[in-house]
Amino acid sequence: MTKPILLVVLSSVIIAGVLLVGTRNLKLVPGRFQFSLEYIYGVARDGIAKEQIGAEYRKYVPFIMALFSFVLVNNIFGIVPLVQFPTMAHIGFPAALALLLVYPTYHWVGIRRHGLRGYLRNQFIVPDVPKPVLWGLLIPTEVILKFFFDPVTLALRVFAAMFAGHLLVAVFALGGEFLLFEAAPLLKPISAVSFAFAVAITLLEAFIQVLQAYIFATLSAHFIGRSLAEHH
């Protein structure tokens, strides 16, 4: 049992608990807590699933909502005092979401809609393109993109953002501590600048944490919508 695994379990408990409590006694005129939950759900439903998937978006809203809230909570752990570790800065977790959940989901819904042959044709064959260009360039490129780069970049995007932000905060915080306690007396005032940068980057990181959760869910919905589409 490592800290990242413990945080993943904790995030699942937090999300389930918040949603169960928030929907236990729904009111026509919502209070602040219910309104906040409805707003987050509205973002996942209307701002992500409906925009990216299209007419059949409703059946995929729970999946997109789960992805969005899970990535969001695990990202926000990075600025929670005493925790201060964004779980998605550990590459295994975004890779698991992308490769074990999103990747098979969007291929499966496409195959179920079009059939295996129809899905492959729909994804890889562009009409009215000369066969040498189609088979020599476009199809190999599409295969590499859709079967390798899409899930890999989906995982790497959130991982890189969380890892870089967390690392920058640590660098400036430790640099400020060193200047304050270990450096020569003339350099000690500079520690305030280092701490100020740590605070500023933490605020920026909070924005990026929310943004990356939104991007992860949006790209996942986009892949599903692309698989369901009738044309390339």
Side-chain angles (χ1 to χ4, degrees):
M1 178 61 71
T2 63
K3 182 177 180 179
I5 293 176
L6 181 61
L7 292 177
V8 165
V9 174
L10 179 61
S11 70
S12 302
V13 173
I14 290 173
I15 294 168
V18 167
L19 292 176
L20 287 172
V21 172
T23 57
R24 183 175 55 185
N25 186 24
L26 294 176
K27 297 179 180 179
L28 184 61
V29 180
R32 292 181 180 179
F33 185 52
Q34 181 182 330
F35 176 80
S36 299
L37 292 180
E38 289 180 354
Y39 177 79
I40 295 173
Y41 179 77
V43 170
R45 182 190 63 190
D46 300 324
I48 300 177
K50 187 176 182 179
E51 290 290 330
Q52 298 297 326
I53 298 175
E56 299 181 45
Y57 75 96
R58 290 184 181 275
K59 67 177 71 174
Y60 303 103
V61 170
F63 181 62
I64 300 303
M65 175 65 180
L67 285 176
F68 177 61
S69 57
F70 183 76
V71 175
L72 178 62
V73 172
N74 280 282
N75 284 352
I76 289 176
F77 279 152
I79 59 172
V80 175
L82 302 180
V83 177
Q84 293 177 313
F85 184 84
T87 317
M88 295 300 152
H90 195 299
I91 185 60
F93 294 106
L97 290 178
L99 297 175
L100 301 182
L101 288 179
V102 178
Y103 179 79
T105 296
Y106 72 77
H107 284 307
W108 167 245
V109 299
I111 293 171
R112 189 175 61 178
R113 163 62 63 84
H114 304 290
L116 178 59
R117 184 176 180 180
Y119 175 67
L120 295 177
R121 176 182 293 275
N122 186 42
Q123 293 296 304
F124 303 135
I125 296 181
V126 181
D128 302 324
V129 173
K131 288 187 177 180
V133 176
L134 180 66
W135 290 98
L137 179 62
L138 290 183
I139 289 180
T141 301
E142 291 292 330
V143 169
I144 293 172
L145 287 175
K146 291 184 170 67
F147 283 92
F148 179 72
F149 279 111
D150 279 352
V152 170
T153 54
L154 182 63
L156 287 179
R157 183 178 286 104
V158 64
F159 158 73
M162 293 303 98
F163 182 80
H166 191 59
L167 186 62
L168 283 173
V169 172
V171 166
F172 281 104
L174 291 175
E177 181 191 19
F178 175 81
L179 290 171
L180 183 61
F181 295 109
E182 304 293 337
L186 290 177
L187 297 177
K188 290 185 184 297
I190 303 177
S191 64
V193 177
S194 186
F195 286 128
F197 270 103
V199 172
I201 293 173
T202 299
L203 296 175
L204 177 62
E205 189 181 18
F207 170 75
I208 294 175
Q209 287 165 351
V210 177
L211 180 63
Q212 286 299 323
Y214 178 83
I215 291 174
F216 190 94
T218 299
L219 288 176
S220 300
H222 171 73
F223 294 153
I224 293 173
R226 186 181 63 189
S227 297
L228 294 172
E230 294 296 333
H231 303 287
H232 187 282

